[in-house]
Amino acid sequence: MGLIEKHWIKIPAVLYVVGFIVHNAYLSSFGSYEFQLVQAKYILSGFGAVGFSVICIVYTGIRVNLSNVSKSLTIDKVLPWSLRVISFPYVIYAILYGKELFEIGRDAKDSLILIGVLASLIAHAVVAFTILDIALMPGDNESRLKKTLSFLSRALSIPMLIVTLVIAWNIPEFSGVVKATTYFFFGYVGIAMSQDDKSLGIESNYTDPETKEKYENIYQVVFGIIAMFFVLWTVVGSYTKYIYPKIPVALGGAKLEFVSIKTKEKVYDSYLIQETKDWVMYIDKSSGQVEKIKTSLIEKIVFKDELPNQPLKRKE
């Protein structure tokens, strides 16, 4: 709370910038952009992206010593930790897509479908037990149930990792969710490696050892900015393609709504992508094409209860 009180003025600005990047990255997949600076949509989109990231960070950090991550890099701790992390995308996928893995893979081999069902059940159980462990069983008690679950988590971690990679290879949507939710694990590992170097008195030299300190500091700042933009570009790519379009608009997403756009000449049954004061972008239901129409030409937009059944023709 103290952090929020101290930086409450900066929070809307951060949400706005993140939302601007996320929403324009999403629109770019349809070959469009939006550069109107005054858009409340950007803050809402930023809230959704930051909220999703916070959920992933908090979940990934369960039972991890954040003050010294390197202490969590032992076999007994890494295996259960990795199992918790790779189980989370299954739950996120089921929530966002409203279906389990085997439903989207009907054309796949029966063995892959069966593996997907089993892996999904295990993953849901792991996430449920992880949350219950925090809520109902605080501390490090050594009960028989605790020991059994600890043994199972170590035994299942490597097989689940292999199965997850196989499923992600065959299902692009699931692969995108995995990329968007598990990169925090590697961030924690990177922090641990950096802390180990510092504890051993090892200082990384990013430039020539004879470089003056002020230039070394400038290089580190520039390198940090480049690294931040690279990570942001990587994360936003997966988030905007597989997560953002599945989150309801009211929660900071861009879930498509089925509507009838009525003009004087015609009624367009379509899936609404973006509505601004100047234009409306939509996917025409009959043709599946992404189109734009001036807002001034529209008499009324009627929202209907129907889920999209046309493939989205995104710009590759």
Side-chain angles (χ1 to χ4, degrees):
M1 292 298 295
L3 182 65
I4 295 177
E5 291 177 359
K6 186 177 180 181
H7 300 284
W8 67 273
I9 296 180
K10 299 178 183 178
I11 292 176
V14 171
L15 293 179
Y16 189 90
V17 172
V18 172
F20 178 84
I21 295 172
V22 166
H23 193 62
N24 274 282
Y26 170 69
L27 292 180
S28 69
S29 64
F30 298 107
S32 179
Y33 299 93
E34 174 58 62
F35 293 113
Q36 294 182 7
L37 294 181
V38 183
Q39 281 280 3
K41 170 69 178 176
Y42 296 151
I43 293 181
L44 196 58
S45 297
F47 176 81
V50 172
F52 176 81
S53 299
V54 169
I55 291 173
C56 292
I57 291 172
V58 171
Y59 177 82
T60 305
I62 292 176
R63 297 296 185 192
V64 177
N65 185 356
L66 296 179
S67 61
N68 191 353
V69 187
S70 58
K71 291 183 178 180
S72 299
L73 296 183
T74 62
I75 293 297
D76 287 343
K77 293 183 178 180
V78 167
L79 292 180
W81 185 16
S82 61
L83 178 63
R84 293 198 305 269
V85 171
I86 62 178
S87 295
F88 199 46
Y90 290 86
V91 178
I92 295 296
Y93 181 90
I95 293 174
L96 295 179
Y97 285 81
K99 60 179 72 174
E100 297 296 341
L101 290 167
F102 62 90
E103 292 184 36
I104 201 169
R106 292 173 181 171
D107 296 331
K109 296 180 181 179
D110 293 340
S111 58
L112 179 60
I113 296 175
L114 180 60
I115 291 173
V117 174
L118 182 60
S120 183
L121 291 174
I122 293 174
H124 280 70
V126 169
V127 173
F129 277 120
T130 299
I131 296 174
L132 288 175
D133 182 36
I134 296 298
L136 304 178
M137 294 183 289
D140 295 323
N141 56 79
E142 294 295 328
S143 64
R144 183 175 298 180
L145 175 61
K146 194 95 170 181
K147 291 180 179 180
T148 302
L149 292 177
S150 179
F151 169 77
L152 288 175
S153 64
R154 289 194 295 270
L156 289 172
S157 59
I158 295 178
M160 274 290 289
L161 175 60
I162 296 173
V163 169
T164 301
L165 292 176
V166 171
I167 296 175
W169 180 266
N170 286 274
I171 303 177
E173 293 86 354
F174 181 69
S175 176
V177 174
V178 171
K179 292 177 182 177
T181 55
T182 61
Y183 71 96
F184 302 102
F185 172 81
F186 300 101
Y188 284 131
V189 173
I191 294 173
M193 295 174 65
S194 176
Q195 288 182 344
D196 279 344
D197 288 342
K198 290 183 178 180
S199 64
L200 295 173
I202 300 174
E203 293 293 336
S204 300
N205 291 322
Y206 299 96
T207 58
D208 188 277
E210 297 181 0
T211 302
K212 293 182 178 180
E213 183 178 354
K214 67 175 182 178
Y215 296 117
E216 174 77 12
N217 294 335
I218 292 174
Y219 181 85
Q220 291 185 33
V221 171
V222 173
F223 182 81
I225 293 174
I226 293 174
M228 181 183 67
F229 274 102
F230 175 77
V231 171
L232 185 62
W233 175 71
T234 303
V235 173
V236 166
S238 296
Y239 177 80
T240 55
K241 188 172 183 179
Y242 299 107
I243 308 294
Y244 187 58
K246 297 298 179 179
I247 300 177
V249 175
L251 297 178
K255 191 173 183 178
L256 297 180
E257 296 284 352
F258 181 61
V259 300
S260 286
I261 301 175
K262 298 184 178 182
T263 65
K264 292 182 179 180
E265 294 80 15
K266 190 176 179 181
V267 175
Y268 302 89
D269 287 330
S270 55
Y271 304 106
L272 186 63
I273 298 174
Q274 169 84 340
E275 181 182 2
T276 71
K277 65 178 182 179
D278 297 320
W279 50 265
V280 172
M281 184 164 66
Y282 61 93
I283 302 174
D284 187 88
K285 182 181 178 181
S286 59
S287 65
Q289 297 291 333
V290 177
E291 300 178 4
K292 278 185 176 183
I293 186 173
K294 290 184 178 180
T295 304
S296 58
L297 299 177
I298 299 175
E299 293 185 339
K300 182 167 58 175
I301 297 179
V302 179
F303 289 79
K304 298 183 176 181
D305 294 327
E306 181 179 347
L307 296 176
N309 54 13
Q310 293 287 339
L312 302 186
K313 295 193 176 182
R314 296 175 178 268
K315 183 179 179 181
E316 300 296 337

